Amino acid sequence: MAMISVLRTAIRILGNIACIVAAVILFSAMVMILAGIKPAVIVSGSMEPVIHTGSIALIDSGYEDVKERDIIAFDAGGVLVTHRVVQVTDEGYVTKGDANRKEDPGIRPKSALRGRVIIWLPWIGYAVKTMGTPAGMTALAAFCLLLLLLYRLTGKEDGLNEPQENTDCPDSHAA
């Protein structure tokens, strides 16, 4: 019986943590959207060792005062690229991935700028990419259902579903 109580408590704690994490993620996403910050998953190693493959970069889409050494995100023919600015010209930006030997070909026009990378978080991009797939969504739903099932199988929550004696009302059968 004690093992079931421990299991029920562990499941309850895990469920509470999952709810808190989900709430923090949703709140953070709302704040970022309102602030014009957009996430981007880094899918190549061109910015290694500074930004690792699988990181998620947060991009300030309202940033326009680009300087040399800034890491920016820009549109390169429909693909979002995150590279460092090595030179600012009147026409746009000369960029280069930190891991690349040569600068990117051509000048990135200012109209291609999508923003400046303000922070990056390693490995989180892998989770974001996975959760965006049918398999990832199925795994999350299965995890939630498993938590619910385990909680139900370990018994009723202490005292909540048991009949209670009503002590607030006087006994109507008393003489």
Side-chain angles (χ1 to χ4, degrees), residues 23-55:
V24 167
I25 289 170
L26 287 173
F27 179 76
S28 299
M30 288 182 351
V31 168
M32 288 188 320
I33 288 168
L34 292 173
I37 297 171
K38 299 185 178 173
V41 177
I42 305 301
V43 296
S44 79
S46 66
M47 285 302 294
E48 299 268 0
V50 176
I51 304 177
H52 297 285
T53 304
S55 297

Side-chain angles (χ1 to χ4, degrees), residues 52 64-65 89 145:
H52 297 285
E64 296 177 2
D65 186 29
T89 70
L145 288 173

Side-chain angles (χ1 to χ4, degrees), residues 135-151:
M137 288 183 207
T138 302
L140 179 62
F143 175 74
C144 292
L145 288 173
L146 179 64
L147 274 179
L148 182 62
L149 180 64
L150 285 173
Y151 183 73

Side-chain angles (χ1 to χ4, degrees), residues 44-102:
S44 79
S46 66
M47 285 302 294
E48 299 268 0
V50 176
I51 304 177
H52 297 285
T53 304
S55 297
I56 191 162
L58 300 181
I59 300 164
D60 180 357
S61 62
Y63 187 81
E64 296 177 2
D65 186 29
V66 177
K67 300 176 189 75
E68 286 183 18
R69 309 282 310 143
D70 282 349
I71 299 173
I72 63 168
F74 56 89
D75 183 293
V79 176
L80 187 68
V81 176
T82 304
H83 279 176
R84 191 176 302 277
V85 175
V86 293
Q87 183 181 3
V88 178
T89 70
D90 291 337
E91 297 82 36
Y93 315 106
V94 177
T95 57
K96 177 183 169 297
D98 288 359
N100 298 344
R101 292 183 186 164
K102 296 180 181 180

Side-chain angles (χ1 to χ4, degrees), residues 101-174:
R101 292 183 186 164
K102 296 180 181 180
E103 296 171 348
D104 299 334
I107 294 177
R108 302 289 161 217
K110 293 182 180 183
S111 62
L113 178 67
R114 295 296 173 260
R116 179 177 66 116
V117 176
I118 55 174
I119 192 169
W120 53 90
L121 306 166
W123 307 299
I124 295 177
Y126 287 127
V128 169
K129 279 286 194 196
T130 300
M131 295 313 298
T133 66
M137 288 183 207
T138 302
L140 179 62
F143 175 74
C144 292
L145 288 173
L146 179 64
L147 274 179
L148 182 62
L149 180 64
L150 285 173
Y151 183 73
R152 295 302 288 168
L153 289 176
T154 57
K156 295 180 177 161
E157 196 169 329
D158 293 336
L160 287 181
N161 295 322
E162 296 176 11
Q164 299 289 321
E165 183 178 322
N166 188 351
T167 58
D168 293 338
C169 299
D171 189 0
S172 60
H173 297 292

